[in-house]
Amino acid sequence: MSDRRFIKPATGLTVHEPDGNPLPAEGKAVEWGVWWQRRLDQGDVEPTTEAAIKKLIGATDKGDSN
């Protein structure tokens, strides 16, 4: 069974995923494992929720239309 969690970079940080791509500032669901646990332990990422991510994406989309 997979363990997926919602995370986002800590304020002011750019965090890269294991594949080298940057983690979106609003966050995303990731397959939890040692990589992400280390990032969390070091304070590089913080937990978030799917609802919070959708809210941020929605606010960004509304801001782009101005």
Side-chain angles (χ1 to χ4, degrees):
M1 181 181 232
S2 68
D3 183 14
R4 294 186 62 76
R5 299 185 191 181
F6 293 94
I7 60 168
K8 64 180 183 176
T11 303
L13 295 181
T14 298
V15 178
H16 290 88
E17 299 183 53
D19 64 6
N21 291 319
L23 183 66
E26 67 273 3
K28 69 181 268 189
V30 298
E31 187 72 32
W32 199 252
V34 174
W35 173 268
W36 292 115
Q37 186 63 53
R38 274 191 243 137
R39 304 292 82 73
L40 181 64
D41 292 346
Q42 293 173 345
D44 295 337
V45 297
E46 53 192 44
T48 190
T49 64
E50 184 175 15
I53 292 170
K54 286 181 179 180
K55 184 176 179 180
L56 284 172
I57 291 171
T60 301
D61 289 345
K62 290 177 186 173
D64 288 344
S65 65
N66 287 336

Coordinates of all heavy atoms in Angstrom, one line a residue:
M1 N 0.8 -1.2 0.0 CA 0.0 0.0 0.0 C 0.9 1.2 0.0 O 1.8 1.3 0.8 CB -0.9 0.0 1.2 CG -1.8 1.1 1.3 SD -2.8 1.0 2.8 CE -4.4 1.2 2.0
S2 N 0.6 2.2 -0.8 CA 1.4 3.4 -1.0 C 1.0 4.4 0.1 O -0.2 4.5 0.5 CB 1.3 4.0 -2.3 OG 0.0 4.5 -2.6
D3 N 2.0 5.2 0.5 CA 1.7 6.2 1.5 C 2.0 7.6 0.8 O 3.1 7.9 0.5 CB 2.7 6.1 2.7 CG 2.5 7.1 3.8 OD1 1.4 7.8 3.8 OD2 3.3 7.2 4.6
R4 N 0.9 8.3 0.4 CA 1.0 9.6 -0.2 C 0.7 10.6 0.8 O -0.3 10.5 1.5 CB 0.1 9.6 -1.4 CG 0.5 8.6 -2.5 CD -0.3 8.7 -3.8 NE -0.2 10.0 -4.5 CZ 0.9 10.4 -5.3 NH1 1.9 9.6 -5.3 NH2 0.9 11.5 -5.9
R5 N 1.5 11.7 0.8 CA 1.3 12.8 1.6 C 1.4 14.1 0.9 O 2.1 14.2 -0.2 CB 2.3 12.8 2.8 CG 2.3 11.6 3.6 CD 3.2 11.7 4.8 NE 3.4 10.4 5.5 CZ 4.1 10.3 6.5 NH1 4.8 11.3 7.0 NH2 4.2 9.1 7.1
F6 N 0.7 15.1 1.4 CA 0.8 16.5 0.8 C 1.8 17.3 1.5 O 1.7 17.4 2.7 CB -0.6 17.1 0.8 CG -1.6 16.4 0.0 CD1 -2.5 15.5 0.5 CD2 -1.7 16.7 -1.4 CE1 -3.4 14.8 -0.3 CE2 -2.6 16.1 -2.2 CZ -3.5 15.1 -1.7
I7 N 2.8 17.8 0.7 CA 3.8 18.6 1.3 C 4.1 19.9 0.4 O 3.6 19.9 -0.7 CB 5.1 17.9 1.5 CG1 5.6 17.4 0.2 CG2 5.0 16.8 2.5 CD1 7.1 16.9 0.2
K8 N 4.7 20.9 1.0 CA 5.1 22.0 0.3 C 6.5 22.5 0.8 O 6.9 22.1 1.9 CB 4.1 23.2 0.4 CG 4.0 23.7 1.8 CD 3.0 24.8 1.8 CE 2.9 25.4 3.2 NZ 2.0 26.5 3.3
P9 N 7.2 23.2 0.0 CA 8.5 23.7 0.5 C 8.3 24.7 1.7 O 7.3 25.4 1.7 CB 9.1 24.5 -0.7 CG 8.3 24.0 -1.9 CD 7.0 23.6 -1.4
A10 N 9.2 24.6 2.6 CA 9.2 25.6 3.7 C 9.3 27.0 3.1 O 9.9 27.2 2.0 CB 10.3 25.3 4.7
T11 N 8.8 28.0 3.8 CA 8.8 29.4 3.3 C 10.2 29.8 2.9 O 11.2 29.7 3.7 CB 8.3 30.3 4.4 OG1 7.0 29.9 4.8 CG2 8.2 31.8 4.0
G12 N 10.3 30.3 1.7 CA 11.6 30.9 1.2 C 12.5 29.9 0.6 O 13.6 30.3 0.2
L13 N 12.1 28.6 0.6 CA 13.0 27.6 0.1 C 12.6 27.0 -1.3 O 11.4 27.0 -1.6 CB 13.2 26.4 1.0 CG 13.8 26.7 2.4 CD1 13.9 25.4 3.2 CD2 15.2 27.3 2.2
T14 N 13.5 26.6 -2.1 CA 13.2 25.8 -3.3 C 13.7 24.4 -3.0 O 14.9 24.2 -2.6 CB 14.0 26.3 -4.5 OG1 13.5 27.7 -4.8 CG2 13.7 25.5 -5.7
V15 N 12.8 23.4 -3.1 CA 13.2 22.0 -2.8 C 13.0 21.2 -4.0 O 12.0 21.4 -4.7 CB 12.3 21.5 -1.7 CG1 12.6 20.0 -1.4 CG2 12.4 22.3 -0.4
H16 N 14.0 20.4 -4.3 CA 13.9 19.6 -5.5 C 13.4 18.2 -5.2 O 13.8 17.6 -4.1 CB 15.3 19.5 -6.2 CG 15.7 20.8 -6.8 ND1 16.3 21.8 -6.1 CD2 15.4 21.3 -8.1 CE1 16.5 22.8 -6.9 NE2 15.9 22.6 -8.1
E17 N 12.6 17.6 -6.1 CA 12.2 16.3 -6.0 C 13.3 15.3 -6.3 O 14.3 15.8 -6.9 CB 11.0 16.0 -6.9 CG 9.8 17.0 -6.6 CD 8.6 16.7 -7.5 OE1 8.2 15.5 -7.6 OE2 8.1 17.6 -8.1
P18 N 13.2 14.0 -6.0 CA 14.3 13.1 -6.4 C 14.7 13.1 -7.8 O 15.8 12.8 -8.2 CB 13.7 11.7 -6.0 CG 12.7 12.0 -4.9 CD 12.1 13.4 -5.3
D19 N 13.7 13.5 -8.7 CA 14.0 13.5 -10.2 C 14.7 14.8 -10.6 O 15.0 15.0 -11.8 CB 12.8 13.2 -11.0 CG 11.7 14.3 -10.9 OD1 12.0 15.3 -10.2 OD2 10.6 14.1 -11.4
G20 N 14.9 15.7 -9.7 CA 15.6 17.0 -9.9 C 14.7 18.2 -10.2 O 15.1 19.3 -10.3
N21 N 13.4 17.9 -10.4 CA 12.4 19.0 -10.7 C 12.1 19.7 -9.4 O 12.0 19.0 -8.3 CB 11.2 18.4 -11.3 CG 11.4 18.0 -12.7 OD1 12.1 18.6 -13.5 ND2 10.8 16.8 -13.1
P22 N 11.9 21.0 -9.4 CA 11.5 21.7 -8.2 C 10.1 21.3 -7.7 O 9.2 21.2 -8.6 CB 11.6 23.2 -8.5 CG 11.5 23.2 -10.0 CD 12.0 21.9 -10.5
L23 N 9.9 21.2 -6.4 CA 8.6 21.0 -5.8 C 7.8 22.3 -6.0 O 8.4 23.4 -5.7 CB 8.8 20.6 -4.3 CG 7.5 20.3 -3.5 CD1 6.9 19.0 -4.1 CD2 7.9 20.1 -2.1
P24 N 6.6 22.2 -6.5 CA 5.8 23.5 -6.7 C 5.7 24.2 -5.3 O 5.5 23.6 -4.3 CB 4.5 23.0 -7.2 CG 4.7 21.6 -7.7 CD 5.9 21.1 -6.9
A25 N 5.7 25.5 -5.4 CA 5.6 26.3 -4.1 C 4.3 26.1 -3.4 O 4.3 26.1 -2.2 CB 5.7 27.8 -4.5
E26 N 3.2 25.8 -4.1 CA 2.0 25.5 -3.5 C 1.9 24.1 -2.9 O 1.0 23.8 -2.1 CB 0.8 25.7 -4.4 CG 0.7 24.8 -5.6 CD 1.5 25.2 -6.8 OE1 2.2 26.2 -6.7 OE2 1.4 24.5 -7.8
G27 N 2.8 23.2 -3.3 CA 2.9 21.9 -2.8 C 2.3 20.9 -3.7 O 1.7 21.2 -4.8
K28 N 2.4 19.6 -3.4 CA 1.8 18.5 -4.1 C 1.8 17.3 -3.3 O 2.4 17.2 -2.3 CB 2.5 18.3 -5.5 CG 3.9 17.8 -5.3 CD 4.6 17.6 -6.6 CE 4.4 16.3 -7.2 NZ 5.2 16.0 -8.4
A29 N 1.1 16.3 -3.8 CA 1.1 14.9 -3.2 C 2.3 14.2 -3.7 O 2.7 14.2 -4.9 CB -0.2 14.2 -3.6
V30 N 3.0 13.6 -2.8 CA 4.2 12.8 -3.1 C 4.1 11.4 -2.5 O 3.4 11.2 -1.5 CB 5.5 13.5 -2.6 CG1 5.7 14.9 -3.2 CG2 5.5 13.6 -1.1
E31 N 4.8 10.5 -3.1 CA 5.0 9.1 -2.6 C 6.0 9.3 -1.4 O 7.1 9.6 -1.6 CB 5.5 8.2 -3.7 CG 5.6 6.8 -3.3 CD 4.2 6.1 -3.2 OE1 3.3 6.6 -4.0 OE2 4.0 5.2 -2.4
W32 N 5.5 9.0 -0.2 CA 6.3 9.2 1.0 C 7.4 8.1 1.1 O 7.2 7.0 0.8 CB 5.5 9.2 2.2 CG 6.2 9.8 3.4 CD1 6.7 9.2 4.5 CD2 6.5 11.2 3.5 NE1 7.3 10.1 5.3 CE2 7.2 11.4 4.7 CE3 6.2 12.3 2.8 CZ2 7.6 12.6 5.2 CZ3 6.6 13.6 3.2 CH2 7.3 13.7 4.4
G33 N 8.6 8.6 1.4 CA 9.7 7.6 1.6 C 10.8 8.3 2.3 O 10.7 9.5 2.8
V34 N 12.0 7.7 2.4 CA 13.1 8.2 3.1 C 13.5 9.6 2.6 O 13.9 10.5 3.4 CB 14.3 7.2 3.0 CG1 15.6 7.8 3.6 CG2 14.0 5.9 3.6
W35 N 13.5 9.8 1.3 CA 13.9 11.1 0.7 C 13.1 12.2 1.3 O 13.6 13.2 1.8 CB 13.6 11.1 -0.8 CG 13.8 12.4 -1.5 CD1 12.8 13.3 -1.8 CD2 15.0 12.9 -2.0 NE1 13.3 14.4 -2.4 CE2 14.7 14.2 -2.6 CE3 16.3 12.5 -2.1 CZ2 15.6 15.0 -3.2 CZ3 17.2 13.3 -2.7 CH2 16.9 14.5 -3.2
W36 N 11.7 12.1 1.3 CA 10.9 13.1 1.9 C 11.0 13.2 3.4 O 10.8 14.3 3.9 CB 9.4 13.0 1.4 CG 9.4 13.2 -0.1 CD1 9.0 12.3 -1.1 CD2 9.6 14.4 -0.8 NE1 9.1 12.9 -2.3 CE2 9.4 14.2 -2.2 CE3 10.0 15.7 -0.4 CZ2 9.6 15.2 -3.1 CZ3 10.2 16.7 -1.4 CH2 10.0 16.4 -2.7
Q37 N 11.1 12.1 4.0 CA 11.3 12.2 5.5 C 12.5 13.0 5.9 O 12.5 13.7 6.8 CB 11.4 10.7 6.1 CG 11.4 10.7 7.6 CD 10.1 11.3 8.2 OE1 9.0 10.9 7.8 NE2 10.2 12.3 9.1
R38 N 13.6 12.8 5.1 CA 14.8 13.6 5.4 C 14.5 15.1 5.2 O 15.0 15.9 6.0 CB 16.0 13.2 4.5 CG 16.7 12.0 5.1 CD 18.0 11.8 4.3 NE 17.9 10.5 3.7 CZ 18.2 10.1 2.5 NH1 18.7 11.0 1.7 NH2 18.1 8.9 2.1
R39 N 13.9 15.4 4.1 CA 13.5 16.8 3.9 C 12.7 17.4 5.0 O 12.9 18.5 5.4 CB 12.8 17.0 2.5 CG 13.4 16.5 1.3 CD 14.7 17.2 0.8 NE 15.9 16.8 1.4 CZ 16.6 15.6 1.3 NH1 16.1 14.7 0.5 NH2 17.7 15.4 1.9
L40 N 11.7 16.6 5.5 CA 10.9 17.1 6.6 C 11.7 17.2 7.9 O 11.6 18.2 8.6 CB 9.7 16.1 6.8 CG 8.7 16.4 7.9 CD1 8.0 17.7 7.6 CD2 7.8 15.2 8.1
D41 N 12.5 16.3 8.2 CA 13.4 16.3 9.4 C 14.3 17.5 9.4 O 14.6 18.1 10.4 CB 14.2 15.0 9.5 CG 13.4 13.8 9.8 OD1 12.2 14.0 10.2 OD2 13.9 12.7 9.7
Q42 N 14.8 17.9 8.2 CA 15.7 19.0 8.0 C 15.0 20.4 8.0 O 15.6 21.4 8.0 CB 16.6 18.9 6.8 CG 17.5 17.7 6.9 CD 18.3 17.5 5.6 OE1 17.9 17.9 4.5 NE2 19.3 16.7 5.7
G43 N 13.6 20.4 7.9 CA 12.9 21.6 7.9 C 12.7 22.2 6.5 O 12.3 23.3 6.3
D44 N 13.1 21.4 5.5 CA 13.0 21.9 4.1 C 11.6 21.9 3.5 O 11.3 22.6 2.6 CB 13.9 21.0 3.2 CG 15.4 21.2 3.5 OD1 15.8 22.2 4.1 OD2 16.1 20.2 3.2
V45 N 10.7 21.0 4.0 CA 9.3 20.9 3.6 C 8.5 20.9 4.8 O 8.9 20.6 5.9 CB 9.1 19.6 2.7 CG1 9.9 19.6 1.4 CG2 9.3 18.4 3.5
E46 N 7.2 21.2 4.6 CA 6.2 21.1 5.6 C 4.9 20.5 5.1 O 4.6 20.6 3.9 CB 5.9 22.5 6.2 CG 5.6 23.6 5.2 CD 5.6 25.0 5.7 OE1 6.5 25.3 6.5 OE2 4.6 25.7 5.5
P47 N 4.2 19.8 6.0 CA 2.9 19.2 5.6 C 1.9 20.3 5.2 O 1.9 21.4 5.7 CB 2.5 18.5 6.9 CG 3.6 18.5 7.8 CD 4.5 19.6 7.4
T48 N 1.1 19.9 4.3 CA 0.0 20.7 3.8 C -1.2 19.8 3.5 O -1.1 18.6 3.8 CB 0.3 21.6 2.6 OG1 -0.7 22.6 2.4 CG2 0.6 20.8 1.4
T49 N -2.3 20.3 3.0 CA -3.4 19.5 2.7 C -3.8 19.7 1.2 O -3.4 20.7 0.6 CB -4.7 19.9 3.5 OG1 -5.0 21.2 3.2 CG2 -4.4 19.7 5.0
E50 N -4.6 18.8 0.7 CA -5.0 18.9 -0.7 C -5.9 20.2 -0.8 O -5.8 20.9 -1.8 CB -5.8 17.7 -1.1 CG -6.3 17.7 -2.5 CD -7.0 16.4 -3.0 OE1 -7.3 15.6 -2.1 OE2 -7.1 16.2 -4.2
A51 N -6.7 20.5 0.2 CA -7.6 21.7 0.1 C -6.8 22.9 0.1 O -7.1 23.9 -0.7 CB -8.5 21.7 1.3
A52 N -5.7 23.0 0.9 CA -4.8 24.2 0.9 C -4.1 24.4 -0.5 O -4.0 25.5 -0.9 CB -3.8 24.1 2.0
I53 N -3.7 23.3 -1.1 CA -3.1 23.4 -2.4 C -4.1 23.9 -3.4 O -3.8 24.8 -4.2 CB -2.5 22.0 -2.8 CG1 -1.3 21.6 -1.9 CG2 -2.1 22.0 -4.3 CD1 -0.8 20.2 -2.1
K54 N -5.3 23.4 -3.4 CA -6.3 23.8 -4.4 C -6.6 25.3 -4.2 O -6.9 26.0 -5.1 CB -7.6 22.9 -4.3 CG -7.4 21.5 -4.8 CD -8.6 20.7 -4.7 CE -8.4 19.3 -5.3 NZ -9.6 18.5 -5.3
K55 N -6.7 25.7 -2.9 CA -7.0 27.1 -2.6 C -5.9 28.0 -3.2 O -6.2 29.0 -3.8 CB -7.1 27.3 -1.1 CG -7.5 28.7 -0.7 CD -7.7 28.8 0.8 CE -8.1 30.2 1.2 NZ -8.3 30.3 2.7
L56 N -4.6 27.6 -3.0 CA -3.5 28.4 -3.5 C -3.5 28.4 -5.0 O -3.3 29.5 -5.6 CB -2.2 27.9 -3.0 CG -1.8 28.2 -1.6 CD1 -0.6 27.4 -1.1 CD2 -1.6 29.7 -1.4
I57 N -3.8 27.3 -5.6 CA -3.8 27.3 -7.1 C -5.0 28.1 -7.6 O -4.8 28.9 -8.6 CB -4.0 25.8 -7.6 CG1 -2.7 25.0 -7.3 CG2 -4.3 25.8 -9.1 CD1 -2.7 23.6 -7.6
G58 N -6.1 28.1 -7.0 CA -7.3 28.9 -7.3 C -7.0 30.4 -7.2 O -7.3 31.2 -8.1
A59 N -6.3 30.8 -6.1 CA -5.9 32.2 -5.9 C -5.0 32.6 -7.0 O -5.0 33.7 -7.5 CB -5.3 32.3 -4.5
T60 N -4.0 31.8 -7.4 CA -3.0 32.1 -8.4 C -3.7 32.2 -9.8 O -3.5 33.2 -10.5 CB -2.0 31.0 -8.5 OG1 -1.3 30.9 -7.2 CG2 -0.9 31.3 -9.6
D61 N -4.7 31.3 -10.1 CA -5.4 31.4 -11.3 C -6.2 32.7 -11.4 O -6.2 33.3 -12.5 CB -6.3 30.2 -11.5 CG -5.6 28.9 -11.7 OD1 -4.4 29.0 -12.1 OD2 -6.2 27.8 -11.6
K62 N -6.8 33.1 -10.3 CA -7.6 34.3 -10.3 C -6.7 35.5 -10.5 O -7.0 36.5 -11.2 CB -8.4 34.4 -9.0 CG -9.5 33.4 -9.0 CD -10.3 33.5 -7.7 CE -11.3 32.4 -7.5 NZ -11.9 32.4 -6.2
G63 N -5.5 35.5 -9.9 CA -4.6 36.6 -10.0 C -4.0 36.7 -11.4 O -3.7 37.8 -11.8
D64 N -3.9 35.7 -12.1 CA -3.3 35.7 -13.5 C -4.3 36.3 -14.5 O -3.9 36.8 -15.5 CB -3.0 34.3 -14.0 CG -1.8 33.7 -13.3 OD1 -1.0 34.5 -12.6 OD2 -1.6 32.5 -13.3
S65 N -5.6 36.3 -14.2 CA -6.6 36.9 -15.1 C -6.7 38.4 -15.0 O -7.4 39.0 -15.9 CB -7.9 36.2 -14.9 OG -8.4 36.5 -13.6
N66 N -6.1 39.0 -14.1 CA -6.2 40.5 -14.0 C -5.3 41.2 -15.0 O -4.3 41.0 -15.3 CB -5.8 41.0 -12.6 CG -6.8 40.6 -11.5 OD1 -8.0 40.4 -11.9 ND2 -6.5 40.5 -10.3

